[in-house]
Amino acid sequence: MKERNNLERFKKIWARTGTRMGFTTLLVVLFWLKTLVAYFVDFKLGLSDPFQFLIVLLNPIATTILLFGLALYLKRARFFYPFIFLIDILNSLLLYINVIYFREFTDFMTVSTMLGYSKVDQGLSGSSLALTSPHDILYWLDLVIVIVLMLTRRIYIDPRPVNKRVAFAVTSVGLLAFSVNLTLGEMDRPQLLTRTFDRTYVVKYLGLDAFTVYDGIKSGHTSELRSHAKKSELSGILKYVHGNYAAPDKDLYGVAKKKNVIIIHLESFQQFLINKKVNGQEVTPFLNKLYKSKSTYSFDNFFHEVGQGKTSDAETMLETGTYGLSQGSLFTQLGNDNTFQAAPAIFNQAGYTSAVFHGNVGSFWNRNNTYKNLGYQYFFDASYYDTSGDKSLGYGLKDKLLFNDSVKYLQHLQQPFYVKYLTVSNHFPFSLDSEDSTFKTPDTGDKTVDNYFKTANYLDQSIQEFYHYLNKSGLAKNSLVMIYGDHYGISNSSNKSLAKLLGVNPDDWNDYNNAQLQRVPLMFNMPGYKKGKIEHTYGGEVDVLPTLLHLMGMNSKKYLQFGTDLFSKQHNQVVAFRNRDWESPGYTSVDDTIYSNKTQQVIHPTGKLKAKIDKMQAHVNEGLSLSDSLNNKNLLRFYHPKGFTAVDPSDYNYSDGLQKAEKLEKKLGLKSTSLFSRNGDKSTQGLYKTDAPELNHKQTDSNRIKITNQDDTSGK
């Protein structure tokens, strides 16, 4: 009896598929199911909690209802059925080509990639069959089954049109579902669409269809800007850049010529951590010694200038000498197609090898594509490391493991090299396994602030271990190590919790104090050098590239860079923030309110002082606007500096880094300059000492690496 009732219910439900509404519902459900197959089987969406899991379950529904529901507005059956099938087929095709593309590139196809599919097809040709999987049949089986059921009249064609009110109601439900979806996404990942730091995030929170539409709108806007761009628009930029050029300091120009360049990117690391003590403990004892060492030029008035692109903005300024965008990330929005004359390419063409070491997925901030356009020859991302279990945090491999595990790749690079290490352990929410640190945190009542000191201490230990290796391997004496902080770690909303630790009454904390906390470290360390000191010059991240080039004996004048050499007497000390606020040695501007740095009070400039302030504001506005024009319109395609060869991103493939380096070593033979070759073809990995518990190398305090100026900071 029960079985008969169940059978009757099924027949009634199945009978509804004979109506247009029932048929539409059937296709929506089937497409939702196969989208979930792609999400959980083929795409790596990085679901970290039940809330994200819920969002992923829901996000295909809204756009599928909206798209399939369009067919309900068609009255005639001969239009309705072909149209809804066409939508289903096209959507299935979009889903499947993304599945194939993701298997090869661990990324989603952008509209520009689809329009240039011939280039993608060249990359996939020969491997397309290898990229298929037996379960791929599930992406097309639903269409075949529905067609067969219609041909055998198991599903009837309904000649009756759907009432317009019903069709409109379906559209309304789809829009409501999308609004809920977007709200949930913003709750879990604020500024999801404005920052767009990873295409995977947009797909995870809003779905593949929403990502494609969103990317298409962005691509259309960018294409329109570029289609109207003219070479003549460079004249204003050239005038500004050449007018602000600062000649290098003669005593420092070329002081690090032909040395290796090792850049250590300190994630979320603010200047106040340097020389800071908590509960009687130095937070960063090793960096403190580097900071004060005679082998280091350190800056105590250096500011980050990032916008919504955060870390990627810092990289943009570091590598290109131009600002990040006013909205979103240049890496994600323009990194695929823009022309750059960036540091990696400049160093490559001067005989350097270039590489990045980073323990996160290559697609984050679109690095796997942008780095190719910047000219990076090697990119050792998460795929090169063991990030399983507790070896990894939310944003990638822990720092001690990154430095330790990178040695097997670093030692095979030809010298001199230009390499960058992107650390992640000091990233919000500043969580760290208890076994990784015994540092006693402060008790401010704000866990974010308290834990920030612990993760910063862990980062400090990681760099100490890396320096120990640099000295033992002999790399230190022939390297310039540049260490910089990318952006703030503690946000303005938590700064009052931090105030007491900085000796400020929380009730007196204001926008001026927030602005001063945007200082981040900048150090140029040259082991063995004896003339270093702490510089008080005001500068920002956009000034790093021309400064570095001049230290290396490479003149920056022929490149379009918006920063200037920090060591130059002609350096402009007005530091522009992305929101058009600014800092200078005498004054601070926050939301058009001017503060005196001497009194830390609001002032109301008049007369000559007002003219001076207005001039500084105009300089900031002009620089940011011209940089945006240069990047958004891709104007560098019209500019060809003498001696610089344009980058061809197709020259680079990041999937065979170690093999490529080893093949080059063998080809060069006795002429190889890699550390491995210089060490008699013996690995230097045994020289690396770490107490990372994940590697079962726990040491007693007496066996920990000792910090001494001679061993770890001077290079002797």
Side-chain angles (χ1 to χ4, degrees):
M1 187 70 178
K2 186 177 181 180
E3 290 180 0
R4 182 179 294 179
N5 289 336
N6 289 335
L7 181 61
E8 290 299 322
R9 287 195 197 98
F10 176 77
K11 287 181 177 179
K12 288 180 180 179
I13 293 172
W14 184 251
R16 291 172 189 167
T17 61
T19 67
R20 293 193 189 184
M21 273 296 298
F23 186 70
T24 302
T25 302
L26 175 65
L27 294 188
V28 167
V29 170
L30 290 173
F31 189 81
W32 170 67
L33 289 173
K34 66 183 177 184
T35 302
L36 293 183
V37 171
Y39 281 2
F40 292 107
V41 178
D42 290 299
F43 298 152
K44 298 173 183 176
L45 298 181
L47 305 181
S48 59
D49 56 56
F51 187 67
Q52 291 186 4
F53 185 85
L54 175 64
I55 292 174
V56 164
L57 286 178
L58 296 177
N59 82 37
I61 297 175
T63 51
T64 305
I65 290 174
L66 285 171
L67 288 173
F68 286 46
L70 292 175
L72 295 174
Y73 290 93
L74 300 175
K75 291 184 177 180
R76 296 186 180 182
R78 64 178 179 176
F79 294 140
F80 168 80
Y81 287 97
F83 185 74
I84 199 168
F85 263 117
L86 179 63
I87 293 174
D88 202 348
I89 291 169
L90 291 177
N91 232 19
S92 298
L93 182 62
L94 175 66
L95 179 65
Y96 188 63
I97 62 174
N98 270 280
V99 166
I100 296 296
Y101 188 79
F102 198 94
R103 287 172 185 166
E104 175 69 10
F105 300 106
T106 320
D107 201 0
F108 296 96
M109 291 190 76
T110 62
V111 171
S112 60
T113 304
M114 292 178 199
L115 295 176
Y117 188 74
S118 59
K119 295 180 181 178
V120 178
D121 191 45
Q122 289 172 12
L124 293 177
S125 62
S127 64
S128 295
L129 185 60
L131 293 173
T132 59
S133 176
H135 74 265
D136 288 359
I137 192 173
L138 296 176
Y139 295 118
W140 303 103
L141 186 61
D142 63 315
L143 287 169
V144 174
I145 290 174
V146 170
I147 290 173
V148 170
L149 289 173
M150 293 186 73
L151 291 175
T152 58
R153 301 202 174 193
R154 298 290 181 181
I155 295 178
Y156 294 99
I157 291 177
D158 185 2
R160 298 167 298 173
V162 173
N163 188 292
K164 285 186 177 180
R165 290 183 180 179
V166 175
F168 182 74
V170 171
T171 301
S172 299
V173 169
L175 290 172
L176 178 61
F178 185 78
S179 299
V180 171
N181 202 167
L182 181 59
T183 301
L184 293 175
E186 283 287 333
M187 285 170 59
D188 199 56
R189 179 58 60 183
Q191 297 180 308
L192 174 65
L193 294 179
T194 53
R195 291 180 66 191
T196 57
F197 39 86
D198 191 345
R199 285 188 272 273
T200 302
Y201 276 63
V202 181
V203 174
K204 176 165 68 175
Y205 289 110
L206 299 181
L208 188 59
D209 287 330
F211 159 72
T212 304
V213 172
Y214 174 66
D215 181 71
I217 293 171
K218 286 199 309 174
S219 298
H221 176 68
T222 301
S223 296
E224 186 177 359
L225 276 176
R226 295 181 178 196
S227 64
H228 294 95
K230 300 177 182 178
K231 186 177 180 179
S232 59
E233 293 180 80
L234 278 171
S235 59
I237 297 171
L238 287 165
K239 182 179 178 181
Y240 176 89
V241 169
H242 291 157
N244 286 282
Y245 173 75
D249 182 299
K250 292 180 180 179
D251 294 332
L252 289 175
Y253 186 77
V255 71
K257 192 171 185 178
K258 297 300 180 182
K259 284 182 176 286
N260 296 316
V261 177
I262 301 172
I263 296 172
I264 301 177
H265 168 113
L266 305 179
E267 173 62 44
S268 306
F269 197 101
Q270 292 172 253
Q271 176 68 21
F272 72 79
L273 290 167
I274 299 295
N275 293 327
K276 182 66 184 171
K277 285 188 176 183
V278 172
N279 298 320
Q281 316 159 93
E282 284 186 281
V283 180
T284 58
F286 181 71
L287 285 174
N288 295 347
K289 290 201 173 187
L290 273 185
Y291 180 75
K292 294 178 285 190
S293 170
K294 287 296 183 182
S295 64
T296 307
Y297 282 102
S298 302
F299 290 82
D300 60 2
N301 288 309
F302 180 75
F303 294 81
H304 79 79
E305 299 172 281
V306 308
Q308 292 177 336
K310 287 294 192 66
T311 298
S312 69
D313 278 0
E315 290 189 80
T316 295
M317 289 180 275
L318 167 73
E319 308 288 17
T320 72
T322 66
Y323 294 101
L325 302 180
S326 58
Q327 282 191 324
S329 162
L330 182 145
F331 270 38
T332 59
Q333 294 179 205
L334 307 175
N336 283 33
D337 307 308
N338 256 31
T339 300
F340 300 106
Q341 291 154 15
I346 294 171
F347 278 92
N348 291 347
Q349 294 175 31
Y352 279 67
T353 305
S354 57
V356 182
F357 299 94
H358 184 39
N360 201 349
V361 294
S363 63
F364 197 79
W365 288 125
N366 194 35
R367 289 186 175 104
N368 53 343
N369 294 308
T370 305
Y371 282 165
K372 293 176 182 177
N373 280 308
L374 293 177
Y376 269 115
Q377 296 166 317
Y378 299 90
F379 178 25
F380 299 99
D381 68 353
S383 64
Y384 283 88
Y385 307 103
D386 178 7
T387 60
S388 62
D390 58 1
K391 294 183 178 68
S392 183
L393 296 168
Y395 288 86
L397 192 68
K398 292 177 181 177
D399 296 340
K400 287 186 179 181
L401 302 179
L402 172 69
F403 286 115
N404 177 77
D405 295 354
S406 67
V407 169
K408 58 189 172 188
Y409 308 121
L410 178 69
Q411 65 181 355
H412 289 288
L413 299 182
Q414 298 299 304
Q415 300 183 72
F417 50 63
Y418 172 88
V419 300
K420 178 169 64 177
Y421 281 84
L422 295 170
T423 64
V424 300
S425 296
N426 194 47
H427 196 294
F428 179 85
F430 313 114
S431 58
L432 198 63
D433 296 331
S434 58
E435 63 179 1
D436 287 314
S437 175
T438 58
F439 187 84
K440 187 177 180 181
T441 62
D443 185 13
T444 65
D446 186 327
K447 287 186 178 180
T448 298
V449 173
D450 297 343
N451 290 334
Y452 181 60
F453 293 93
K454 177 180 286 190
T455 52
N457 177 259
Y458 175 85
L459 173 56
D460 182 75
Q461 293 178 31
S462 306
I463 295 170
Q464 177 192 356
E465 292 178 353
F466 183 53
Y467 255 84
H468 184 267
Y469 168 76
L470 294 179
N471 282 290
K472 292 297 182 182
S473 66
L475 282 178
K477 63 184 179 183
N478 192 38
S479 298
L480 178 150
V481 184
M482 193 195 93
I483 301 173
Y484 81 108
D486 64 342
H487 54 74
Y488 65 85
I490 305 300
S491 65
N492 288 350
S493 61
S494 293
N495 279 343
K496 285 193 174 185
S497 300
L498 181 66
K500 285 185 179 179
L501 292 175
L502 301 180
V504 180
N505 186 333
D507 294 333
D508 296 332
W509 195 271
N510 58 20
D511 288 341
Y512 174 81
N513 301 109
N514 287 333
Q516 303 313 305
L517 274 192
Q518 305 317 306
R519 286 176 171 82
V520 293
L522 176 65
M523 308 178 205
F524 295 98
N525 175 244
M526 293 174 281
Y529 190 72
K530 294 294 185 181
K531 297 181 180 180
K533 60 180 180 177
I534 297 174
E535 300 279 356
H536 305 301
T537 302
Y538 275 62
E541 287 167 332
V542 77
D543 300 314
V544 171
L545 182 54
T547 305
L548 177 62
L549 290 177
H550 289 173
L551 289 174
M552 305 306 296
M554 305 175 188
N555 202 315
S556 66
K557 191 170 186 177
K558 66 180 179 181
Y559 301 106
L560 297 186
Q561 298 170 359
F562 287 80
T564 55
D565 187 342
L566 291 163
F567 294 109
S568 174
K569 293 179 181 178
Q570 299 166 2
H571 168 67
N572 190 325
Q573 296 193 68
V574 178
V575 183
F577 295 132
R578 187 56 261 194
N579 61 0
R580 297 182 185 262
D581 289 347
W582 48 267
E583 275 285 354
S584 75
Y587 305 96
T588 297
S589 174
V590 182
D591 292 334
D592 296 324
T593 299
I594 308 299
Y595 293 85
S596 164
N597 290 349
K598 185 176 182 180
T599 65
Q600 302 182 15
Q601 300 298 316
V602 175
I603 61 172
H604 303 282
T606 58
K608 291 183 178 180
L609 179 57
K610 185 177 186 305
K612 180 180 178 180
I613 297 293
D614 289 345
K615 185 178 180 180
M616 288 192 280
Q617 185 68 64
H619 172 77
V620 168
N621 293 347
E622 186 179 13
L624 291 170
S625 296
L626 290 174
S627 177
D628 285 346
S629 180
L630 180 77
N631 285 319
N632 283 320
K633 298 177 182 178
N634 196 22
L635 295 178
L636 278 181
R637 61 192 152 132
F638 302 127
Y639 185 69
H640 310 288
K642 187 178 180 180
F644 181 84
T645 304
V647 173
D648 183 353
S650 66
D651 289 341
Y652 309 116
N653 180 359
Y654 295 146
S655 64
D656 60 350
L658 181 58
Q659 293 84 352
K660 185 167 63 176
E662 289 176 334
K663 284 179 183 178
L664 182 59
E665 273 180 328
K666 291 178 181 178
K667 182 179 179 181
L668 293 172
L670 295 175
K671 295 180 181 179
S672 174
T673 60
S674 72
L675 183 61
F676 182 83
S677 297
R678 294 281 175 87
N679 196 44
D681 289 347
K682 295 179 181 178
S683 176
T684 61
Q685 285 182 266
L687 299 175
Y688 204 101
K689 304 299 180 184
T690 178
D691 64 359
E694 296 84 2
L695 298 179
N696 298 315
H697 289 167
K698 288 187 177 181
Q699 300 171 326
T700 62
D701 289 340
S702 61
N703 288 330
R704 288 180 184 273
I705 298 167
K706 300 296 182 183
I707 306 173
T708 64
N709 283 327
Q710 186 178 36
D711 182 42
D712 286 317
T713 62
S714 70
K716 286 190 174 182

